[in-house]
Amino acid sequence: RCSLHDERGATIDLEHALWFYWQKTMGKKDAFSSKTPIDQYRKQIGKQDYKKTKSALKETRLKVEAKKQAPGIKDVIIVIAAVLAVVLVFYSLFLYLTNQ
C-alpha cells in the first residue's frame, strides 16, 4: 500500500487522498472554471429567484389543496338540481295518478 503524509505529518492512504482530491475538484459542478464577480452575482440572484419561486409554488399548492377540500358552487348547484328533478318526477307522477 502506498501512503502519503499531510502537513501535520499524519499518514494518509493513497485511496483516501484521491477521494478527497476528487471531492474537492470533480465533485463540484464548476471546479475548473474561474468565476468572475459578475458570474458569482448572477448565481446569487438565480438562487434568490429560485427561493421566491419555491415559496410561490408552495402558496399555489396550498390554495389548490384548499380548493379541492372545500365544496364548490358547482357541486352545490348539481345537488340542488338533482333534488329538484326527483321532486318534479314525484310531483308529476302524483298529478298523473290523481287525474286518472
Side-chain angles (χ1 to χ4, degrees):
R1 291 192 81 145
C2 184
S3 62
L4 302 170
H5 299 283
D6 64 359
E7 57 272 354
R8 295 175 301 176
T11 303
I12 302 173
D13 289 341
L14 182 60
E15 294 172 13
H16 288 100
L18 289 174
W19 173 254
F20 289 125
Y21 172 76
W22 183 82
Q23 285 292 322
K24 286 186 176 183
T25 57
M26 302 297 243
K28 294 184 181 176
K29 195 180 349 179
D30 299 323
F32 294 109
S33 63
S34 61
K35 292 187 179 187
T36 60
I38 189 72
D39 289 337
Q40 291 174 351
Y41 174 74
R42 287 177 181 160
K43 185 174 181 179
Q44 182 182 8
I45 295 297
K47 286 181 181 178
Q48 291 173 359
D49 286 343
Y50 174 72
K51 288 178 185 175
K52 289 178 189 174
T53 305
K54 193 174 182 181
S55 63
L57 287 173
K58 185 176 181 181
E59 290 175 11
T60 305
R61 181 176 47 86
L62 291 175
K63 286 180 184 178
V64 168
E65 286 178 3
K67 210 178 224 185
K68 284 181 181 178
Q69 291 175 356
I73 294 176
K74 289 181 181 179
D75 295 336
V76 173
I77 291 173
I78 289 172
V79 169
I80 291 173
V83 169
L84 286 175
V86 169
V87 169
L88 183 63
V89 167
F90 280 121
Y91 183 71
S92 301
L93 185 63
F94 175 74
L95 284 178
Y96 178 73
L97 292 176
T98 56
N99 286 338
Q100 284 186 355

